[in-house]
Amino acid sequence: MTEGKIIEYIDQREIVLSVCLKDRVNKLQLLTLSNQEVSISPRRVLLFSSNTLDVTRSRGELVQELRVVDKRRTDYMKKVSVRDLWELTHEENESFTYKYLAQLSFGNDVTDDHISALVRAIFADRVFFKMKDDYFIPNSPDKVKQIRKARDEAAIREREIKEGANFLKEVVNNRHPEDPPLKERIIEILIQLALYGKDAPDFKMGREIFSGAGIKDIDQARHLLVKLDIWHKDENLDLHRFKIRTDFSEPALKEADIVMRQETDPLGREDLTDLSIFTIDGPNTRDFDDALSLQPIDGGYVLGVHITDLTTFIKVDGHLDREASERASSVYLPVNQIPMLPSSLSNNALSLVKGSNRLAISLFVDFDRDWNIKNYRFMPTIVRIEKQLTYDHVNAVYKEEPIFSALYQLAQALRQKRLANGAMLIPLPELHFKFGNNSKLQVRLIRQDTPSKIIVSECMILYNWLTAKFASEKALPILNRSQEPPQERLFIDASKYIYYLFQQRRKLQPLLIDTIPQPHSSLGVDAYTNATSPLRRYMDLLVQRQIHSYLLKNRPVYTESRLKELNMLIQQTLRDIDLIKRNQIRYWLLKYLAGHINGNFNAIVFQKLKYKHLIILTDFLFVADLPKASGLELSAGEEIKVVVKKSDPWDDILILELAN
């Protein structure tokens, strides 16, 4: 019988001291040190005492006796060195009884209290021994290291959670706490939650920190980062998610400094510094990589398209080259730009800026009076820009100034030839965001079919087409762009032109990049590449290197297989960049619409779905959802007005209603 025995058992990872009041065979009724009665299975008993207490005494007296026993055992426990016991036993590769280990600690004459103290000490330590049945087994040295490491990590984690919770609680309550020692780690977890939500690597820990701070919604992570001045209120989260670098490494910057000091070597180049060459760009452009010239000759004109030559400056596999390949392209966003090359190069040393000698790969095309191509040639050149013109300036003077009038005629002739070859003119105006002096966001559409933009566009298409044609004729491997014919060519309805544009663009086949030249259907050319923007696109730099090597009678820089490898890396990054651009345009447009709640906007019904319509907000050329109104049928192509009821860029919410 166990009635009156002092019993110890484990409950919730703690050893509980008690006395047995009744033994019911399958259940033991116990009185614990905390003056509670419990029933347990005999299998849960860890230790029985050899002595008994008089259970006929009052509960108070029994609890008091248990306290005396507990103090005695706790005092003994402090004298047990679990590490010393492990040092004595772990090499023997055996299991040991409680009593044997107690005797190692206290000598041969041990009591129930000594044995209990030994068990308590090892159980509390949990590093050096493991418990199995009624024995302790020493852990191996490797296991001890592993347990210690895990324990240290758990302690750090607990500290991080506590510090993080206290810190965020103060921030939420608009207090200004001192930075905790683990602030950087707390910020890292906040960033993870803001970027990845439940998929964050440390989501569980972040949730515990938030719970300790009394914050229920993990979406508050972004607000907290703004409140802590870690992020701007309009922080572009995609730049973090896709790990888009906005700065350059120290080695790349050092390499850029060397390029800045590098002299322009005219050796082996045609000197065109006396030729009247000009750029045509937007008013805020700083990275000028293309320029034009036009010379009247007997029976026609010579068009010159001059592209800044980076081959001498950006060394293959150098630091600048590797960073440019990783970036794949400059990133142009509504409120900022992230260059592919350091701005000291893209906006200065390698840019076709007015009055400075620059290296170029120039294309000269001879035209007759009817704008038919008679001949063309590429050559390495040295150029000096005479004029830096804007699109608006050329639009204003192209009718009066002969050179721009001729250029516009040339561009129109090139365009007509492409149209005859199946080209499709489906340009969309560009959405432009601008902050006024009072920081009010302004949004407008910029036309892409003005005379100056047509001139530049057609000259660049010509350069890219002839580059692909030249490379194909010379069996020179480059990356080519192609596009198969559209699924369907739609009839142009001028009265519903925007609707037509969107519908036709949906039927275009995807663009393909490959080393094999193939037709580009929507441009109406039999071959095409990208070669006119080496400052901004890495593909253009690859193509330029191949052309330059041929012109200098050197071996190609890249084999076809190497170009294919590079292309795979470039295209994935370009897809990421494209998504970032689309998301940013959507964010800023929603921000603009958030300032026009209950405002009316023109729209066109684009597509009917089961529970909603897709519509085009015509002032922004933006596709949005419009819930179906009961009893009202809208037709595709129908012009309507909608009202903005809610717009939240942070949560990507836009709610529109049909205007009355």
Side-chain angles (χ1 to χ4, degrees), residues 118-342:
L118 178 280
V119 172
R120 289 181 178 204
I122 293 180
F123 187 80
D125 176 78
R126 295 176 189 161
V127 173
F128 294 99
F129 292 86
K130 62 183 175 185
M131 183 183 292
K132 187 174 183 181
D133 299 328
D134 294 331
Y135 297 89
F136 282 121
I137 303 170
N139 289 318
S140 68
D142 287 343
K143 184 66 174 177
V144 168
K145 285 181 183 177
Q146 183 182 339
I147 294 171
R148 279 179 160 172
K149 182 182 177 184
R151 180 170 289 187
D152 291 344
E153 289 173 352
I156 291 171
R157 187 177 186 276
E158 188 175 340
R159 180 182 155 210
E160 287 174 343
I161 291 170
K162 185 176 180 180
E163 275 191 20
N166 291 337
F167 177 64
L168 294 186
K169 192 182 296 181
E170 295 290 294
V171 173
V172 167
N173 292 324
N174 295 315
R175 291 192 278 268
H176 302 282
E178 291 185 9
D179 289 351
L182 293 170
K183 182 180 178 180
E184 286 188 13
R185 175 67 175 139
I186 297 165
I187 297 303
E188 178 193 340
I189 292 171
L190 283 176
I191 290 173
Q192 282 186 25
L193 294 176
L195 294 178
Y196 308 113
K198 292 182 179 179
D199 295 326
D202 290 312
F203 169 73
K204 186 176 179 182
M205 183 173 174
R207 186 174 58 184
E208 289 184 49
I209 291 174
F210 272 36
S211 176
I215 304 169
K216 296 181 180 178
D217 188 356
I218 63 168
D219 288 340
Q220 290 298 309
R222 182 174 181 177
H223 294 270
L224 289 165
L225 288 164
V226 172
K227 205 166 188 177
L228 288 165
D229 290 327
I230 305 299
W231 280 355
H232 186 268
K233 64 179 179 178
D234 296 309
E235 189 81 14
N236 186 344
L237 304 196
D238 282 337
L239 294 182
H240 298 284
R241 289 190 185 106
F242 290 101
K243 297 179 172 56
I244 301 296
R245 288 188 58 178
T246 57
D247 59 351
F248 289 86
S249 68
E250 194 62 34
L253 292 175
K254 286 181 179 178
E255 204 171 278
D257 288 339
I258 294 171
V259 172
M260 288 281 289
R261 297 192 296 272
Q262 195 169 330
E263 294 291 331
T264 302
D265 184 2
L267 187 64
R269 292 179 176 271
E270 188 79 16
D271 189 343
L272 304 180
T273 53
D274 290 333
L275 183 63
S276 177
I277 302 176
F278 50 87
T279 63
I280 306 174
D281 285 280
N284 299 317
T285 301
R286 296 294 177 267
D287 48 353
F288 303 102
D289 46 19
D290 59 84
L292 302 174
S293 62
L294 189 67
Q295 301 164 274
I297 57 172
D298 288 341
Y301 288 88
V302 177
L303 170 70
V305 184
H306 314 276
I307 306 301
T308 183
D309 183 0
L310 309 191
T311 56
T312 303
F313 305 100
I314 309 300
K315 302 300 182 184
V316 178
D317 290 332
H319 295 293
L320 286 170
D321 185 51
R322 285 197 292 271
E323 290 209 20
S325 69
E326 290 170 2
R327 293 166 186 253
S329 170
S330 294
V331 185
Y332 297 91
L333 300 173
V335 292
N336 66 322
Q337 143 184 0
I338 305 167
M340 185 180 77
L341 295 169

Side-chain angles (χ1 to χ4, degrees), residues 468 472 476-482 512-519 526-528 560 563-564:
S472 179
L476 183 64
I478 63 168
L479 291 175
N480 296 275
R481 273 182 60 179
S482 64
L512 301 175
I513 310 289
D514 196 8
T515 53
I516 301 170
Q518 296 183 72
D526 55 3
Y528 198 71
E560 184 175 353
L563 285 173
K564 287 183 176 181

Side-chain angles (χ1 to χ4, degrees), residues 593-636:
L593 294 174
H596 294 77
I597 300 300
N598 295 321
N600 285 17
F601 292 92
N602 296 320
I604 295 175
V605 179
F606 182 43
Q607 187 179 5
K608 293 173 62 176
L609 300 175
K610 188 172 183 180
Y611 297 110
K612 65 182 179 182
H613 293 92
L614 292 182
I615 64 168
I616 304 165
L617 295 173
T618 52
D619 292 331
F620 317 108
L621 300 183
F622 179 75
V623 177
D625 293 345
L626 178 67
K628 283 190 175 180
S630 60
L632 185 63
E633 282 294 322
L634 299 176
S635 303

Side-chain angles (χ1 to χ4, degrees), residues 283-462:
N284 299 317
T285 301
R286 296 294 177 267
D287 48 353
F288 303 102
D289 46 19
D290 59 84
L292 302 174
S293 62
L294 189 67
Q295 301 164 274
I297 57 172
D298 288 341
Y301 288 88
V302 177
L303 170 70
V305 184
H306 314 276
I307 306 301
T308 183
D309 183 0
L310 309 191
T311 56
T312 303
F313 305 100
I314 309 300
K315 302 300 182 184
V316 178
D317 290 332
H319 295 293
L320 286 170
D321 185 51
R322 285 197 292 271
E323 290 209 20
S325 69
E326 290 170 2
R327 293 166 186 253
S329 170
S330 294
V331 185
Y332 297 91
L333 300 173
V335 292
N336 66 322
Q337 143 184 0
I338 305 167
M340 185 180 77
L341 295 169
S343 57
S344 61
L345 302 182
S346 60
N347 294 0
N348 189 357
L350 303 182
S351 181
L352 299 180
V353 293
K354 180 180 175 181
S356 298
N357 289 358
R358 293 288 185 259
L359 303 187
I361 301 292
S362 296
L363 165 68
F364 286 104
V365 188
D366 298 336
F367 290 93
D368 63 20
R369 293 187 187 280
D370 296 322
W371 305 111
N372 297 307
I373 296 176
K374 297 173 9 183
N375 188 28
Y376 76 91
R377 59 208 173 275
F378 288 94
M379 63 177 64
T381 58
I382 183 165
V383 301
R384 183 187 297 124
I385 304 304
E386 183 179 80
K387 296 178 182 177
Q388 220 108 58
L389 306 174
T390 65
Y391 291 117
D392 288 345
H393 173 80
V394 174
N395 288 337
V397 304
Y398 82 97
K399 290 182 180 178
E400 287 76 30
E401 293 197 18
I403 189 170
F404 297 119
S405 177
L407 269 174
Y408 186 52
Q409 291 175 42
L410 167 60
Q412 292 284 39
L414 291 172
R415 177 165 286 199
Q416 288 304 314
K417 286 183 173 64
R418 292 195 301 107
L419 285 170
N421 288 329
M424 305 179 70
L425 301 182
I426 48 175
L428 286 174
E430 182 180 305
L431 196 61
H432 180 71
F433 297 87
K434 183 181 178 182
F435 283 100
N437 294 332
N438 58 357
S439 294
K440 185 177 180 181
L441 182 61
Q442 301 171 17
V443 183
R444 66 188 178 98
L445 293 173
I446 299 178
R447 289 176 55 193
Q448 302 298 302
D449 58 354
T450 63
S452 61
K453 294 212 169 186
I454 290 173
I455 289 170
V456 173
S457 172
E458 289 301 328
C459 289
M460 297 309 115
I461 291 172
L462 178 69

